[in-house]
Amino acid sequence: MPIADAVRQWWREQSLLRAFEALDRTTVVELARDNFIPEADFRRLASRSRTESALLRRLLQRVGIDPDALARNQAGVMRDMTVVCAGCLMVQRCRRDLDRHEGPLPHGRYCPNAETIEALHQGSKPAS
């Protein structure tokens, strides 16, 4: 990504974050409640960058799970995975692993969503 595009993206994200932070507490509490997410998790989700938020989608796609279908068919699972991902401290490692285009991902060693992803992956395989 050219540096000018990166700066524009950062500026947009900062503008959105400032707009979110300008909301009164009651509005934030209501938004969190409407989305079935605890307020602290909702705030953490709102503060994530677009590239951090895209990691879960990329990971799901990489292991053969359609994130859009998951969001449609199992919205609660996708929401819970998103909240877990938002609290993850391994963002840089996840991004680095996803940027590698060859071989299996080692996410099972550190990803807090690894068990859920494995269960979803197993559930999508036809019964033998």
Side-chain angles (χ1 to χ4, degrees):
M1 170 186 301
I3 192 144
D5 290 343
V7 169
R8 278 192 285 278
Q9 180 178 332
W10 178 85
W11 189 258
R12 277 191 301 272
E13 289 173 0
Q14 293 303 306
S15 295
L16 291 171
L17 184 56
R18 282 192 298 276
F20 177 79
E21 290 172 349
L23 295 173
D24 62 90
R25 185 169 189 285
T26 302
T27 302
V28 173
V29 168
E30 289 173 359
L31 286 168
R33 185 190 65 231
D34 290 348
N35 287 284
F36 306 102
I37 300 173
E39 181 186 351
D41 292 339
F42 188 73
R43 288 183 180 280
R44 189 171 39 247
L45 283 169
S47 68
R48 291 190 62 145
S49 73
R50 181 181 298 172
T51 55
E52 288 175 350
S53 298
L55 291 175
L56 178 59
R57 292 183 62 80
R58 287 180 62 197
L59 177 57
L60 291 172
Q61 289 169 334
R62 180 82 179 266
V63 299
I65 297 170
D66 180 352
D68 294 324
L70 181 60
R72 272 191 314 276
N73 301 327
Q74 298 184 49
V77 172
M78 186 65 166
R79 180 189 60 239
D80 291 348
M81 289 177 68
T82 301
V83 169
V84 168
C85 191
C88 183
L89 301 176
M90 302 300 287
V91 173
Q92 290 178 344
R93 182 170 180 187
C94 183
R95 183 181 304 112
R96 184 178 60 242
D97 287 346
L98 286 166
D99 288 343
R100 294 182 179 145
H101 296 290
E102 64 243 35
L105 292 170
H107 70 282
R109 291 187 228 150
Y110 61 85
C111 178
N113 277 318
E115 287 183 29
T116 304
I117 291 169
E118 182 61 27
L120 289 167
H121 195 323
Q122 293 299 321
S124 68
K125 291 182 180 178
S128 325

